[in-house]
Amino acid sequence: MKKGLVTITLFLLVGLLLSPCTWGRVKTIKIGINAPLTGDIPKVGEGTKYAAEMWLEDVKAAGGIEVGGKRYPVELVIEDNESKAESAVKVQTKMITEDEVLVIVGPQSSKQAVPAGGVADNYKTPMISPWSTNPDTTKDRPFVFRGCFLDPFQGPVVANFITKEFGFKKAAVLYDVASDYPKGLAEFFKKAWEDIHGPGSVVAFESFTTKDADFSSQLTNIIKSGAEVLFTPQYYNEVALIVQQAHELGFNKPIVGSDSWGSAETVNLCGKDCYGLFFSTHYAAAGATGATKEFIDRYRGKYGYVPDDVAALTWDSLHIVQKAIESCGKLTGRIGKDRKAVRDAMAKIKDFHGITGKMTFTEEGDPIKCAVIVRISEKGEFEFYKSVCP
Amino acid sequence: MVFFLQNLVNALQWGSFYALIALGYSMVYSILMLFNFAHGDIFMVGAYIGFGVASCILALASLGANTLPNWLILVLTILISMFLNSFLGMLVERIGYRPLRDAPRASAAITGLMIGIILETGILALFGARRISFPPLIQTVTYNMGGVFVTNKKIVIVLVSVMFMLALHQFVRRTKYGMAMRAMAFDYVVVPLMGVPLNTIAAMTFGIGSALAAVAGILFGVAYPVLDPYMGIIYGWKAFVAAILGGRGSIMGATLAGFLLGFIEIFVAMIFPSTLRDLIAYSIILLILVFRPHGFFGEPYSARLRL
């Protein structure tokens, strides 16, 4: 009896091994989404998820992604990185090793994208961060790409804009020293500003740490320094607090922000205090045309609010991923080989027309594209003000 | 001089939060010899309760034709939230700490951490991860006093906190329950043998501490109107620092240490580069503790405590 059982098991095992369908056949294409659904910036996670779900809808309607004349169904693996660097690394590793995803979209902010990019590159898995503007995300990492411009570009854009628009000479910066994105951008801005106006023209360079709610001492220093403008590259919850406190302390000069201000939540939290302020970002929803308008209308119809830049960039990144998969010829089913093929296809993408602009990847995996200066209108809408190209 | 005065005003506001939170922390600590690590999260829940109560009152007021004046809404919000949050505190004591009263101290401290996580994730589940903006109960008016900018909000915040601190002081000094609390702080093993109901006093301590946390939460919401489920953690730690710095069992000490903490944080950023603010601020506090390990008003363990 016992011998019989062993024989049967052996037969089954051999049968399993020999059966061709367990070897090298792709059943579904899995795409990982590493998003901050909870934690410091949940609205960013929400935008990522909604944009990804809308994209998946389209792909499903088309019957999947076509590679080499064959259509494969697509599955999204959406994981929460809690807006923490260590969780982003954990989630990234899990998606690569356990879920065996082909490509990863995300993480969004540099704090998570820089360490998670290291993981992706180590495991030779292509990754595209839609929103991370810190250069370190893609630097010396052939497998890591991004969907947006970089801080070394954004910093000078803001510095030039303020100089031309207002003619100011003394600027102050207030940033979070514990987060890669604000810290990096604050430094690039400082450098660009001092290149234009000479050393010492950034009269106050103040910082705080994540989770701080009171900025009164830093803002008092800034007011004392005689700065004509305040640049603060922070996320929406801090923007609301900084702007309100600055006004309460009697600072009535312009406050300028960066693409992290572009969230749909900024004006909800900040209210009238933010009206009339400027920031640099990836796209402006008000006054958009063509495919961008189509996307905005569809998103608003479905989820009830105007999509922010994160949603638009995620949408573009997923289309880049889709294009790369489609153009890599065929999928072998051996995950390592397929990942390499997708990576190579992605690096070759030229003149991709996304809803946030046209892009071509550089050697480093960074797109060359334009920035937009947005003004928050008296109705609290993000209005297109100016376009700045490299 | 103006610069200094402005920072003084900033520090007064910031210190009053620390003082209010530290008071609740210190009371539990001195009476039950318990690190209530959930206190920061009780403060956070207090802010959310305040948000809920204020929104309800505003909605009801806008239904009726007569709109209530804002100061009345603020007073009502504070009173109702104190009441509700004190229930939460007593519940935490009843479920989390009372069964562990005779267990090792470490078990109770760990329970506090767990209760904190439960409260955080509970609020997360209830309200979602998005930030909540506290309704503007006080229309900000900024006064320019010779270059020093003071808002009506700041005045209200400091006045209300000082009022509650004085009220608590009177309660502990002048009433029978206050005396029971002081006695319990002196020795919570022997005092119950004299007929002082330990459970009632313990529940009351938690209730009062949580009510103060609610006041701090609402004032925080008025000053910094962005609430999130994890905002309590850092203030819990800082209240812990203030409670130690003030000296176990001293209401005066906790108040003073809370203000001192706020002052140090603000003034360090005034003098040094703000990048080094917390590093220098907490090194100073560490230094104070090296020379006064029992805090300002604390006494060595063997001499027991006073409240």
Side-chain angles (χ1 to χ4, degrees):
Chain A
M1 185 59 205
K2 215 173 181 181
K3 216 171 181 179
L5 209 68
V6 172
T7 324
I8 289 169
T9 317
L10 266 177
F11 261 109
L12 283 174
L13 268 176
V14 168
L16 224 100
L17 283 172
L18 290 180
S19 79
C21 50
T22 56
W23 273 89
R25 278 269 313 264
V26 187
K27 291 208 181 70
T28 51
I29 295 174
K30 282 190 185 172
I31 293 173
I33 309 273
N34 191 338
L37 299 175
T38 60
D40 283 340
I41 43 170
K43 199 76 182 173
V44 169
E46 188 182 279
T48 314
K49 193 173 144 221
Y50 286 166
E53 280 168 356
M54 245 168 74
W55 173 81
L56 186 67
E57 232 170 59
D58 285 358
V59 171
K60 274 197 174 145
I65 295 182
E66 191 179 322
V67 190
K70 229 166 120 187
R71 282 197 179 277
Y72 297 96
V74 177
E75 196 185 302
L76 290 179
V77 182
I78 303 180
E79 294 278 347
D80 178 19
N81 63 32
E82 304 168 307
S83 316
K84 289 184 200 152
E86 61 274 20
S87 302
V89 166
K90 202 173 71 192
V91 162
Q92 195 86 342
T93 315
K94 181 204 163 250
M95 288 197 297
I96 293 171
T97 56
E98 280 177 42
D99 299 324
E100 302 209 308
V101 295
L102 184 61
V103 196
I104 289 170
V105 176
Q108 298 287 7
S109 59
S110 300
K111 190 177 178 178
Q112 291 97 44
V114 173
V119 175
D121 200 57
N122 283 345
Y123 283 103
K124 300 202 180 309
T125 304
M127 157 186 152
I128 178 164
S129 170
W131 201 49
S132 164
T133 48
N134 192 307
D136 288 342
T137 306
T138 54
K139 201 167 180 227
D140 298 326
R141 289 170 177 169
F143 279 85
V144 185
F145 298 81
R146 76 174 90 220
C148 53
F149 52 66
L150 272 82
D151 290 336
F153 167 65
Q154 187 174 199
V157 161
V158 179
N160 285 329
F161 166 74
I162 296 172
T163 308
K164 278 195 194 132
E165 187 74 22
F166 303 110
F168 292 155
K169 293 204 165 53
K170 290 192 274 183
V173 182
L174 177 61
Y175 68 99
D176 178 357
V177 74
S179 180
D180 282 343
Y181 165 78
K183 188 172 176 288
L185 189 49
E187 280 157 9
F188 288 118
F189 173 83
K190 183 169 188 261
K191 192 177 172 296
W193 186 267
E194 294 192 332
D195 282 348
I196 304 172
H197 300 284
S201 53
V202 172
V203 286
F205 197 63
E206 298 287 326
S207 68
F208 59 94
T209 33
T210 319
K211 295 259 177 218
D212 275 2
D214 187 276
F215 309 102
S216 56
S217 59
Q218 291 95 327
L219 287 166
T220 307
N221 284 349
I222 286 168
I223 292 166
K224 190 194 170 214
S225 73
E228 294 165 301
V229 60
L230 169 63
F231 174 61
T232 180
Q234 288 307 132
Y235 297 108
Y236 52 83
N237 47 328
E238 289 136 353
V239 169
L241 294 174
I242 291 170
V243 172
Q244 287 180 2
Q245 287 175 36
H247 289 166
E248 284 173 14
L249 288 167
F251 186 83
N252 288 319
K253 291 157 188 165
I255 301 174
V256 179
S258 57
D259 65 303
S260 54
W261 282 38
S263 168
E265 201 84 333
T266 308
V267 177
N268 286 348
L269 289 176
C270 187
K272 285 204 171 68
D273 280 282
C274 273
Y275 291 2
L277 301 184
F278 295 95
F279 62 92
S280 63
T281 188
H282 310 276
Y283 96 128
T289 53
T292 314
K293 188 175 181 331
E294 248 169 61
F295 167 75
I296 293 168
D297 290 345
R298 197 172 143 201
Y299 190 101
R300 183 163 46 189
K302 227 168 145 64
Y303 305 114
Y305 64 95
V306 176
D308 44 28
D309 55 346
V310 180
L313 289 168
T314 307
W315 176 262
D316 271 357
S317 299
L318 279 159
H319 279 92
I320 290 172
V321 163
Q322 183 179 357
K323 196 174 171 192
I325 297 174
E326 279 167 356
S327 56
C328 72
K330 68 173 180 15
L331 291 178
T332 57
R334 261 167 295 171
I335 195 80
K337 209 170 163 188
D338 288 344
R339 282 173 179 165
K340 180 85 174 62
V342 171
R343 185 253 152 223
D344 292 342
M346 199 126 82
K348 280 191 201 117
I349 289 178
K350 276 203 173 55
D351 291 335
F352 175 84
H353 286 272
I355 57 171
T356 60
K358 204 168 80 171
M359 39 193 141
T360 300
F361 288 108
T362 63
E363 293 266 306
E364 281 293 350
D366 306 323
I368 301 162
K369 60 200 282 193
C370 301
V372 172
I373 301 285
V374 162
R375 181 178 180 273
I376 303 175
S377 74
E378 305 306 324
K379 278 189 243 152
E381 279 176 346
F382 293 164
E383 272 177 359
F384 174 84
Y385 191 76
K386 229 177 205 175
S387 179
V388 189
C389 291
Chain B
M1 190 59 195
V2 167
F3 179 57
F4 177 79
L5 283 177
Q6 180 69 65
N7 273 314
L8 200 70
V9 172
N10 299 342
L12 264 178
Q13 177 186 346
W14 194 225
S16 47
F17 292 118
Y18 281 164
L20 272 179
I21 307 170
L23 269 182
Y25 200 103
S26 181
M27 278 173 63
V28 170
Y29 175 42
S30 55
I31 290 173
L32 300 168
M33 302 282 294
L34 181 85
F35 298 116
N36 180 15
F37 283 123
H39 193 70
D41 294 298
I42 291 176
F43 155 77
M44 178 273 296
V45 175
Y48 271 81
I49 290 178
F51 163 80
V53 172
S55 310
C56 278
I57 296 176
L58 283 173
L60 285 177
S62 66
L63 275 182
N66 58 328
T67 44
L68 297 167
N70 274 343
W71 64 266
L72 188 63
I73 297 179
L74 182 67
V75 170
L76 281 175
T77 305
I78 290 180
L79 292 179
I80 297 172
S81 311
M82 279 174 80
F83 186 69
L84 292 175
N85 214 36
S86 66
F87 268 108
L88 175 77
M90 288 193 264
L91 200 71
V92 165
E93 193 269 339
R94 183 70 193 84
I95 296 172
Y97 291 121
R98 195 177 295 179
L100 289 170
R101 194 165 291 151
D102 299 318
R105 293 289 97 184
S107 310
I110 292 164
T111 309
L113 291 175
M114 288 191 290
I115 291 170
I117 294 172
I118 291 171
L119 291 178
E120 283 155 24
T121 41
I123 290 287
L124 189 68
L126 217 64
F127 287 86
R130 63 178 288 260
R131 292 299 193 292
I132 282 180
S133 72
F134 201 85
L137 292 179
I138 302 177
Q139 290 305 323
T140 316
V141 182
T142 312
Y143 309 105
N144 183 349
M145 298 176 177
V148 179
F149 286 85
V150 183
T151 56
N152 52 347
K153 271 194 217 169
K154 280 193 172 128
I155 298 172
V156 169
I157 287 161
V158 174
L159 282 183
V160 171
S161 341
V162 170
M163 204 179 79
F164 275 104
M165 286 168 209
L166 288 178
L168 181 69
H169 187 76
Q170 291 301 314
F171 176 81
V172 172
R173 285 279 155 202
R174 298 278 158 88
T175 63
K176 204 172 72 179
Y177 286 106
M179 191 158 81
M181 283 165 73
R182 280 183 291 149
M184 204 72 83
F186 192 74
D187 194 326
Y188 80 97
V189 178
V190 175
V191 171
L193 299 177
M194 320 271 188
V196 177
L198 174 60
N199 284 343
T200 315
I201 300 297
M204 204 175 71
T205 310
F206 267 87
I208 294 173
S210 308
L212 285 178
V215 178
I218 292 165
L219 294 181
F220 187 88
V222 168
Y224 312 103
V226 178
L227 309 185
D228 84 285
Y230 298 101
M231 70 182 199
I233 303 172
I234 189 87
Y235 302 107
W237 292 343
K238 290 186 175 172
F240 178 45
V241 173
I244 302 285
L245 192 65
R248 187 179 46 208
S250 168
I251 282 186
M252 270 299 286
T255 312
L256 207 71
F259 274 109
L260 186 77
L261 212 62
F263 275 70
I264 292 180
E265 277 193 17
I266 298 273
F267 280 98
V268 163
M270 176 183 126
I271 299 162
F272 298 100
S274 48
T275 318
L276 305 174
R277 189 194 64 189
D278 286 0
L279 177 72
I280 295 174
Y282 288 90
S283 303
I284 293 174
I285 289 159
L286 193 67
L287 212 67
I288 298 176
L289 283 176
V290 167
F291 290 107
R292 286 203 67 92
H294 300 286
F296 297 135
F297 295 95
E299 275 159 27
Y301 191 72
S302 54
R304 298 311 305 213
L305 317 151
R306 59 201 171 90
L307 196 69

